[in-house]
Amino acid sequence: MVATAGSHATAMTDPGLEPVATLPGVGPALAETLRKLGIERVQDLWFHLPLRYEDRTRVTAIRDLVAGDAAQVEGVVEAVETGFRYRPQLKVALTDASHATLVLRFFHFRRQQVEQFKPGMRLRCYGAIRHGQHGLEMVHPQYRALHGDTPVEATLTPIYPVTEGLGQQRLRSVIDKALARLPDETALELIPHEMLQPLGLMPLRDALLGVHRPAPDADVPALLAGAHPAQQRLAFEELLAHHLSLKRLRARIRKQRAPALPNDSALEKKFLEALPFMLTRAQQRVAAEVGHDLAKRVPMLRLVQGDVGSGKTVVAALAALHAIANGWQTALMAPTELLAEQHLRSFRAWFEPLGIEVAWLVGKVTGRARAKVLERLAAGAPVAVGTHALMQDGVEFERLGLAVVDEQHRFGVQQRIALRDKGAAVGEAPHQLVLTATPIPRTLAMSAYADLDVSTLDELPPGRTPVRTVAIANGRRDEVIERIRAACAEGRQAYWVCTLIEDSEQLQAQAAEVAHAQLRKALPECSVGLVHGRMKPKEKQVAMDAFKAGGIGLLVATTVIEVGVDVPNASLMVIENAERLGLAQLHQLRGRVGRGAVASSCVLLYQPPLSGLAQQRLETLRETNDGFVIAEKDLRLRGPGELLGTRQTGEMGFRVADIVRDASLMPAVQRVGTAMLREYPVLARRLTERWIGGAARFADA
Ligand code: ADP
Ligand code: MG
């Protein structure tokens, strides 16, 4: 039986590899449009899966409609009205046998459309239900007039990702033509029989047909929930393809040679002796794991995960010492300038006394200053700290031996590839060390970081006191201000964090400015500072320095302080509108306090009423300070986007798989992935190509 997997139709006769233009009715123009969707070959259409389904197999009584749902209704037009109050609109009132009324509302319409609707006629519509001024309504529903008996759809209607110039109807018909070319199961299957069989999954051919064209008797709720066996089969295969692509990326990198960077114990001793603290056992263990990798001629690919405040920076510095001792350069890259500045200060404080130069490059370093830094990097400056500016074209290192990426979830795999290439000049790939404060549940790590080895800092430095967290409604804001007054009077320092959901730095800055003015007035005896993303780096620095030196008692800030800000004397944090933030972000913010020996507290100021989700989030934070517990909870409440950053999940771009819902598949994915790479590398490559296509080709670059 093993032979079936290996004896497939070869690439030459594989109907899936034919260009789409070989399908009847697909001319050059349509082929070009399809290319925009990443569809070039017939198999790309087989694997262009529905995003979701519309259920037009039944009609819902208007009385039973629920806002937020999508539904199909049928009724008689009662009244038609056009209005031009603010903008033109057309309203059609529809009633049915349940004696309830639904308003169909159109903002864009043509004259013929208005004339089309006649009181008394019967309509069938499909659309999303929302609350309107007078009861429930549908905005721009799809609709058709009914004459006589028109049966409802027999199957769920698949909705595909489309693009301009290509609608659902047309795409559906092209996919039909492609599906007609599906070969039999043996030719289609790429996963070796002996690996697939024990998993009890549905055959691939049946799964594809079942997902594209659900049968009339298919399990509708399961399909809508993504839990149908056909979807599970495809999710498994998709997760496997992603897993394989990350593993192959890893294998490619590991095939290159990296400089061996053994430890210089004299230098390390000097460094450790000058450090104002002793390493924790966890730091020693992780530093040893990193050191072990660095001593080899194979590029290190290691992720260090550790909760906020667990002391990842010094682990990175110890790794940099390996490079320095061997005459190679280290680049440390952070996702924001503020965080990069923080690292710059730590690194300069640690390295300059040892006579080690630390160069600085961010986007705002321009002109002559930039030219000078570039010159230093090209001449071999031992350490460079900065943002993604370090990876841009034109930045050249003499001998890059180690690339450290902080808060990796904000960067993508592509950027890591770009970093790798910075070492190309000398024919050696740099070692890669990735730091993250977002602890990732195991199953998620398996899918997102299959290309990395993982070390965990599971211990906080001693002397930290757990942060006490309380949630207080905005109505009691005055009490909170009194707490700050008391803290200030005792010489303690506090943060006041302003948040907004909008991703607008400008609005955030405005909110912070308003809060700053109010708090200054309310707390004349405290010195109140301000820092936000729109300030000049110099101004930000002045405010941060003053806060650090104790000259400022209360720092009003936006979420720019989320990562990396380190002021041990700050022991109180107020987070405004805490209900708007995700768990991971709240945990990061809270990690800015509790860094010293004084008991710290965090006040989550919220605007009632709280949604159920928000309530659970605030409760979780009150109950625990453990980043791992919080991450697991976050995963259950919000999904992986929050944990990994939208960019990363967007990049992963799953079609059917959902790494939370399908987490239980991961152990099997990993098992099969390892076996396939070892025993069937050609099939592994074809599977990745099939699912990831262009992106997989990119990873091979
Ligand atoms: P994170 O893991 O969140 O990046 P940092 O590296 O910023 O944490 O460290 C947080 C703070 O703890 C810094 O002030 C750092 O100097 C300090 N620190 C790190 N390791 C230790 C240690 N072993 N003992 C005491 N303080 C430490
Ligand atoms: Mg850090």
Side-chain angles (χ1 to χ4, degrees):
M1 273 320 280
V2 183
T4 46
S7 63
H8 283 257
T10 60
M12 297 302 289
T13 59
D14 184 345
L17 296 181
E18 301 273 350
V20 284
T22 61
L23 293 169
V26 180
L30 181 52
E32 193 47 47
T33 309
L34 287 168
R35 197 194 311 278
K36 282 191 224 142
L37 289 169
I39 297 171
E40 294 179 359
R41 297 163 303 182
V42 172
Q43 73 174 10
D44 297 336
L45 284 163
W46 298 340
F47 290 89
H48 192 70
L49 302 175
L51 280 175
R52 57 189 172 84
Y53 297 94
E54 287 178 359
D55 185 0
R56 302 181 200 204
T57 62
R58 58 207 168 95
V59 171
T60 306
I62 293 178
R63 184 163 301 283
D64 298 336
L65 292 176
V66 177
D69 285 356
Q72 178 164 263
V73 299
E74 234 174 78
V76 173
V77 172
E78 224 180 22
V80 182
E81 192 186 309
T82 43
F84 292 90
R85 220 147 54 105
Y86 300 108
R87 50 176 171 161
Q89 52 172 298
L90 165 63
K91 289 191 290 181
V92 177
L94 201 69
T95 48
D96 68 359
S98 71
H99 301 293
T101 303
L102 175 72
V103 173
L104 314 179
R105 194 185 289 275
F106 299 85
F107 296 108
H108 312 284
F109 52 92
R110 282 187 229 118
R111 177 135 307 277
Q112 304 101 286
Q113 226 170 335
V114 181
E115 284 156 8
Q116 221 176 35
F117 292 112
K118 297 268 185 309
M121 79 188 292
R122 282 195 331 137
L123 285 183
R124 180 180 291 163
C125 329
Y126 183 94
I129 313 297
R130 64 170 215 187
H131 287 291
Q133 279 167 322
H134 313 285
L136 296 178
E137 60 181 36
M138 274 186 191
V139 176
H140 287 257
Q142 301 166 33
Y143 63 90
R144 64 193 281 197
L146 292 181
H147 309 283
D149 232 14
T150 316
V152 292
E153 303 282 330
T155 65
L156 287 180
T157 310
I159 303 298
Y160 292 101
V162 285
T163 184
E164 211 182 312
L166 180 64
Q168 292 293 339
Q169 292 281 336
R170 184 112 182 270
L171 181 56
R172 226 171 280 160
S173 102
V174 177
I175 288 176
D176 277 333
K177 287 172 191 149
L179 290 175
R181 295 225 186 137
L182 267 182
D184 66 20
E185 182 64 16
T186 2
L188 187 63
E189 185 58 72
L190 294 178
I191 306 172
H193 180 79
E194 79 270 18
M195 296 179 190
L196 192 59
Q197 206 241 349
L199 301 173
L201 292 167
M202 180 187 260
L204 178 58
R205 190 184 146 85
D206 296 351
L208 281 173
L209 290 171
V211 161
H212 281 292
R213 301 292 172 257
D217 60 350
D219 182 346
V220 170
L223 273 170
L224 293 175
H228 192 278
Q231 290 160 314
Q232 287 293 292
R233 160 63 215 242
L234 293 171
F236 175 82
E237 189 160 323
E238 181 170 36
L239 288 169
L240 179 61
H242 277 261
H243 186 81
L244 288 170
S245 93
L246 284 174
K247 285 278 192 205
R248 285 178 53 230
L249 172 62
R250 176 185 169 85
R252 285 198 87 84
I253 294 180
R254 302 272 293 177
K255 248 192 251 152
Q256 297 173 293
R257 283 162 76 84
L261 306 174
N263 192 21
D264 173 340
S265 47
L267 182 62
E268 189 177 272
K269 188 153 169 276
K270 246 171 55 188
F271 175 85
L272 290 175
E273 275 171 5
L275 214 55
F277 50 75
M278 301 272 288
L279 296 184
T280 62
R281 255 174 321 179
Q283 283 169 323
Q284 287 172 23
R285 175 174 44 77
V286 171
E289 284 164 9
V290 171
H292 185 76
D293 288 351
L294 289 173
K296 295 194 185 148
R297 288 287 274 142
V298 188
M300 168 173 76
L301 288 168
R302 186 168 289 277
L303 171 75
V304 171
Q305 58 171 343
D307 209 346
V308 183
S310 60
K312 293 180 290 294
T313 318
V314 73
V315 172
L318 284 163
L321 276 186
H322 280 253
I324 294 161
N326 292 280
W328 287 80
Q329 293 170 285
T330 297
L332 168 62
M333 202 170 65
T336 67
E337 289 194 5
L338 200 76
L339 181 51
E341 283 160 23
Q342 192 84 31
H343 285 320
L344 179 69
R345 246 164 303 132
S346 301
F347 270 39
R348 284 199 168 147
W350 292 332
F351 286 143
E352 284 183 348
L354 303 178
I356 298 164
E357 169 191 358
V358 180
W360 169 242
L361 187 65
V362 293
K364 281 172 187 156
V365 175
T366 53
R368 292 220 349 241
R370 182 181 153 87
K372 220 171 123 196
V373 177
L374 294 188
E375 196 182 300
R376 290 302 305 141
L377 296 181
V383 182
V385 174
T387 54
H388 52 264
L390 282 170
M391 285 184 311
Q392 283 159 359
D393 288 339
V395 180
E396 265 162 44
F397 291 85
E398 193 211 7
R399 279 148 62 85
L400 184 63
L402 171 65
V404 184
V405 181
D406 197 10
E407 298 303 335
Q408 123 91 21
H409 63 294
R410 290 158 188 248
F411 294 102
V413 170
Q414 261 89 335
Q415 279 152 312
R416 296 226 325 272
I417 294 173
L419 246 186
R420 174 198 76 187
D421 293 342
K422 288 286 173 203
V426 279
E428 302 267 354
H431 295 281
Q432 294 185 34
L433 179 64
V434 173
L435 311 177
T436 180
T438 312
I440 295 142
R442 216 175 94 76
T443 46
L444 196 52
M446 279 189 208
S447 28
Y449 295 127
D451 56 331
L452 300 172
D453 298 309
V454 179
S455 294
T456 305
L457 285 173
D458 50 6
E459 182 185 0
L460 291 181
R464 300 275 167 83
T465 40
V467 181
R468 215 176 73 83
T469 301
V470 291
I472 295 182
N474 209 4
R476 292 165 57 200
R477 202 180 169 93
D478 289 347
E479 284 172 42
V480 177
I481 293 176
E482 286 317 307
R483 275 173 89 136
I484 296 177
R485 197 188 312 281
C488 272
E490 290 172 21
R492 293 164 54 194
Q493 291 174 283
Y495 295 99
W496 185 286
V497 185
C498 301
T499 65
L500 279 181
I501 356 174
E502 293 91 30
D503 214 13
S504 151
E505 244 188 15
Q506 189 184 344
L507 290 176
Q508 283 223 5
Q510 277 171 8
E513 274 161 8
V514 170
H516 177 241
Q518 283 169 351
L519 289 163
R520 256 173 82 159
K521 222 165 124 198
L523 296 163
E525 68 275 46
C526 278
S527 157
V528 184
L530 174 67
V531 53
H532 60 64
R534 300 271 286 188
M535 283 162 61
K536 295 209 177 78
K538 257 266 176 47
E539 297 168 349
K540 260 189 287 186
Q541 197 53 57
V542 168
M544 288 308 304
D545 285 347
F547 189 57
K548 201 155 189 171
I552 286 178
L554 174 64
L555 185 67
V556 178
T558 57
T559 48
V560 294
I561 61 153
E562 180 187 343
V563 277
V565 172
D566 186 26
V567 179
N569 190 47
S571 60
L572 173 61
M573 170 170 284
V574 180
I575 304 177
E576 256 196 291
N577 300 312
E579 77 280 3
R580 293 174 174 176
L581 298 185
L583 263 178
Q585 205 180 4
L586 286 167
H587 180 60
Q588 289 278 337
L589 278 170
R590 180 174 61 177
R592 302 304 115 211
V593 291
R595 301 192 148 229
V598 251
S600 295
S601 43
C602 175
V603 177
L604 306 172
L605 208 52
Y606 66 87
Q607 189 63 50
L610 281 181
S611 71
L613 262 183
Q615 202 165 340
Q616 285 196 52
R617 284 202 294 270
L618 300 190
E619 220 147 82
T620 305
L621 280 166
R622 271 181 22 215
E623 281 164 7
T624 181
N625 277 294
D626 183 328
F628 280 88
V629 175
I630 289 171
E632 290 278 0
K633 185 84 184 180
D634 204 14
L635 190 56
R636 258 173 293 144
L637 292 180
R638 306 250 308 196
E642 194 62 26
L643 271 181
L644 298 175
T646 37
R647 196 179 307 165
Q648 174 114 13
T649 33
E651 197 170 81
M652 285 164 48
F654 288 116
R655 302 176 200 185
V656 272
D658 174 319
I659 46 183
V660 178
R661 188 191 63 210
D662 304 326
S664 61
L665 296 172
M666 279 317 295
V669 164
Q670 204 172 35
R671 227 172 30 243
V672 173
T674 308
M676 270 185 86
L677 276 178
R678 198 177 45 226
E679 294 165 41
Y680 301 95
V682 175
L683 291 179
R685 208 198 63 230
R686 287 178 60 196
L687 189 74
T688 323
E689 277 265 311
R690 178 187 265 181
W691 281 92
I692 305 173
R697 290 191 284 276
F698 177 75
D700 279 348

